[in-house]
Amino acid sequence: MISRNQQLFERAQQRIPGGVNSPVRAFRSVGGTPRFFVTGSGARVTDADGTSYIDYVGSWGPLILGHAHPAVVAAVCDAAAHGLSFGAPTESEVEMAELLCDLLPSLELVRLVSSGTEATMSAIRLARGFTGRDLLVKFEGCYHGHSDSLLVKAGSGMLTFGNPSSGGVPADVARHTLVLDYNDADGLAAAFAEHGARIAAVIVEVVAGNMNLIAPRPAFLQEMRDLCSRHGSVLIFDEVMTGFRVGDKGAQGLYGVTPDLTTLGKVIGGGMPVGAFGGRREIMARIAPLGPVYQAGTLSGNPVAVAAGLATLKLLQMPGFHESLARRTRQLCDGLLAAAAKHGVVFSAQSIGGMFGLYFRSQCPQTYAQVMECDTDAFNRFFHGMLDAGHYFAPSAFEAGFVSAAHGEADIASTIAAADAVFRAW
Ligand SMILES: *Cc1c(COP(=O)(O)O)cnc(C)c1O
């Protein structure tokens, strides 16, 4: 009998490119049929065939409280009953801006948008407008959304300008993006030595979470801060994923380095479309209507979306929230490591706050080149073994995973037991 997931996927492919509205959902790299989800509650999701899974994707990061948290759902319903959108200011936006500035001391002014992509795109335009320079530095393997300047990969050799990594991105745009190696402080220093006076901004995922998970070397972040300050370039921390996920003050609080601008998304919308960018007043004051850098949005600061974000952020303020989330996430990694070691599977894992990386290689990678050495066939075997046993991990070897506050001891133990069985049959 053909499954309902399969039926839906076939129907979807008739009218939606590849059957999905965002490419990684299509299961292309792992093979098989994407699951169409019907309900989510706490740590669990249920698909169209009625199969339930413990979820380690969490909508790719936003669902730090788990699915359909009652307080978040209530806040959304209440806001919706008062009107879905006004295209005019509302009090909840002010409350959100105040809360974000309280939580992240590097934010003096903040503007709300509707996605992480919008946040990074706008922050870069602002940095260029502020400095009067065009050149942008990014790091290979870091993802900052899908705007033109950011869909760029390294050219051949060091210190070459980028090539488009997507069709439809003009080479002329890619030319303004310099792509360097993540965690390579010397490479960054060399780039500044050659191009410093032309660099408008450096944008970085403080913890890289879009090439699996790579932890930053402290010297890399410090060198980046020093170089930007010395050369008058804007340092943008893209905390769309890490913001309130790795700790209560974001990755900037965890590593003690202060950016000029920060971009946020995911957790700050609690599952609804909210993004934000903010930072130093002097820079943020260049945005329209205060300044000449244009940025706008019909649904920016949407009251229903902001209600979900505010309800989520307030619950994260409970004492010990992040410590407990980090402990649970570490338990998962430790259990998976022990299971792999017991059965002689080449595997490593690590967690930072509520996010984790699993690697089919002997040690946790520190660079893009190292993460590319992971055994993707082994990952795919693990992925499908776990999926069949009711544990839903991201359908790609190059994505970080997420634990929510709704994941209990028993959920983690059940996932570790399933991995033990998968590794035993390895
Ligand atoms: C997800 C993500 C984005 C893009 O956010 P969208 O809401 O998908 O547009 C940007 N930067 C980072 C670090 C992300 O993880």
Side-chain angles (χ1 to χ4, degrees):
M1 203 188 70
I2 185 164
S3 82
R4 180 105 179 105
N5 288 310
Q6 185 64 40
Q7 278 174 12
L8 284 170
F9 191 43
E10 278 162 21
R11 206 172 117 205
Q13 288 173 91
Q14 302 304 310
R15 290 299 183 197
I16 302 174
V20 291
N21 282 314
S22 195
V24 73
R25 297 179 194 171
F27 274 38
R28 284 281 172 108
S29 68
V30 291
T33 305
R35 302 305 192 258
F36 282 65
F37 290 113
V38 179
T39 57
S41 176
R44 288 193 166 268
V45 286
T46 303
D47 74 10
D49 285 309
T51 307
S52 151
Y53 307 85
I54 298 175
D55 179 23
Y56 292 101
V57 179
S59 188
W60 301 95
L63 300 183
I64 194 162
L65 300 173
H67 291 266
H69 188 285
V72 178
V73 173
V76 166
C77 292
D78 184 58
H82 287 87
L84 297 180
S85 179
F86 301 101
T90 56
E91 185 171 350
S92 62
E93 295 168 275
V94 184
E95 203 187 330
M96 180 73 145
E98 288 169 346
L99 181 56
L100 291 174
C101 292
D102 281 350
L103 294 173
L104 296 182
S106 71
L107 302 191
E108 293 179 313
L109 290 176
V110 63
R111 177 158 283 176
L112 300 186
V113 293
S114 299
S115 69
T117 293
E118 267 187 272
T120 55
M121 180 185 83
S122 308
I124 287 163
R125 180 180 306 139
L126 175 58
R128 285 173 163 157
F130 175 73
T131 56
R133 304 173 184 175
D134 289 338
L135 199 55
L136 171 69
V137 171
K138 80 176 284 284
F139 300 95
E140 181 140 47
C142 285
Y143 177 70
H144 305 288
H146 62 89
S147 67
D148 282 358
S149 311
L150 292 165
L151 291 181
V152 175
K153 61 181 182 223
S156 52
M158 269 273 291
L159 291 188
T160 56
F161 293 92
N163 298 319
S165 61
S166 159
V169 173
D172 218 42
V173 171
R175 195 163 68 72
H176 299 293
T177 304
L178 191 55
V179 184
L180 304 178
D181 283 329
Y182 187 81
N183 262 342
D184 177 5
D186 293 342
L188 188 63
F192 268 93
E194 189 164 341
H195 303 291
R198 297 170 50 218
I199 296 174
V202 175
I203 187 167
V204 67
E205 284 186 76
V206 184
V207 174
N210 285 284
M211 47 172 156
N212 205 324
L213 181 148
I214 298 189
R217 293 177 177 137
F220 174 62
L221 296 178
Q222 196 52 58
E223 178 78 353
M224 195 181 300
R225 177 63 278 175
D226 295 346
L227 287 165
C228 284
S229 299
R230 203 172 320 136
H231 293 267
S233 309
V234 175
L235 178 56
I236 305 171
F237 277 0
D238 181 355
E239 295 227 40
V240 169
M241 184 181 287
T242 53
F244 313 114
R245 163 61 64 183
V246 299
D248 57 353
K249 292 185 166 48
Q252 54 195 268
L254 194 60
Y255 294 98
V257 180
T258 305
D260 300 305
L261 294 178
T262 298
T263 56
L264 296 163
K266 299 195 170 114
V267 166
I268 70 160
M272 295 285 277
V274 181
F277 64 102
R280 278 165 52 197
R281 182 179 300 274
E282 175 195 13
I283 304 176
M284 290 299 291
R286 298 294 178 92
I287 300 171
L290 293 180
V293 179
Y294 195 69
Q295 188 279 327
T298 302
L299 295 177
S300 291
N302 174 269
V304 183
V306 166
L310 269 177
T312 300
L313 288 175
K314 283 178 187 167
L315 285 166
L316 304 192
Q317 307 316 309
M318 280 182 311
F321 178 93
H322 282 96
E323 289 76 4
S324 147
L325 182 68
R327 200 178 320 115
R328 203 41 59 77
T329 313
R330 205 175 315 118
Q331 267 169 12
L332 173 70
C333 290
D334 289 348
L336 295 176
L337 281 168
K342 186 166 124 197
H343 300 294
V345 174
V346 177
F347 177 80
S348 51
Q350 66 181 334
S351 63
I352 300 181
M355 59 196 279
F356 63 85
L358 310 179
Y359 322 93
F360 287 88
R361 86 193 279 281
S362 59
Q363 280 176 352
C364 295
Q366 298 191 1
T367 65
Y368 176 78
Q370 287 174 356
V371 84
M372 286 298 128
E373 292 165 9
C374 289
D375 181 345
T376 52
D377 291 338
F379 173 80
N380 292 355
R381 243 191 308 156
F382 171 79
F383 171 81
H384 281 290
M386 295 303 284
L387 190 68
D388 290 346
H391 305 266
Y392 187 78
F393 286 86
S396 160
F398 302 107
E399 300 288 351
F402 303 100
V403 169
S404 80
H407 286 73
E409 294 266 357
D411 296 315
I412 302 294
S414 149
T415 299
I416 293 168
D420 187 81
V422 167
F423 289 148
R424 189 182 320 124
W426 206 247

